[in-house]
Amino acid sequence: DTSLLYVDLPSPHSAPPWNPLLEAAFQSLPATISKEEQLLWERKKVSTWGITSYDIHLQSGRIIFPAGGSLYYCIDNAGSQGPISPYEIQSKTSGARLNATMCPHDPDFVAFVNNGDLWLVNLETRQEERLTFCHNDGADRVSEDPLSAGLPGYVMQEEFSRYTGFWWRPETASSKQS
């Protein structure tokens, strides 16, 4: 299902109306899902396709979410009426972009994991930067390419339900000045 719903609660209601956040024309049919994404969904016990997670930056209203093997974003302006149109975040990388999260201090920056490496994309400039170089592109087997960045190991995911392997730096007094 590719629906995101919201409800405004200005005053107590017994049954608040749910409204579609995304326009009805948005359809993200399941593309070929990578093995990484399939295994992550299995560990998270996700049994459906479509929008299975999202990240929201409350101050800007920006929302990012994976759907159909790609990443999308939209901006929910408090004054807008009706559903909004999401935009696909284009990428030069191939494969799944996992655990996409926005920078809590600047929602223009989105970090994600792709092929065992951590990447950063600026939504305004569309620039994409590879932050780690753990993945060996020439490797055919895991034994030849055992390192990865940004995702916890299988045991941490399976036994401890920990699916995130990177975090944004908290804002501090010194980081506010720079």
Side-chain angles (χ1 to χ4, degrees), residues 114-163:
N114 177 266
N115 290 324
D117 280 309
L118 194 57
W119 289 75
L120 181 72
V121 64
N122 182 320
L123 296 179
E124 294 299 316
T125 65
R126 310 244 190 266
Q127 279 190 286
E128 204 170 45
E129 185 76 29
R130 186 176 178 181
L131 301 178
T132 61
F133 294 86
C134 294
H135 179 66
N136 177 1
D137 291 329
D140 292 329
R141 297 186 303 257
V142 173
S143 62
E144 297 170 358
D145 188 20
L147 299 178
S148 68
L151 291 175
Y154 168 78
V155 172
M156 291 302 290
Q157 291 181 28
E158 187 69 24
E159 300 299 327
F160 297 98
S161 298
R162 183 175 147 201
Y163 306 107

Side-chain angles (χ1 to χ4, degrees), residues 8-17:
D8 285 323
L9 299 172
S11 61
H13 290 285
S14 59

Side-chain angles (χ1 to χ4, degrees), residues 1 6 17 19 31 38 40 67 90 96 103 112 117 128-129 131 136 152 156 160 168:
D1 186 14
Y6 73 96
N19 303 302
Q38 288 175 2
L40 184 61
Q90 299 295 325
C103 175
F112 60 89
D117 280 309
E128 204 170 45
E129 185 76 29
L131 301 178
N136 177 1
M156 291 302 290
F160 297 98
W168 289 97

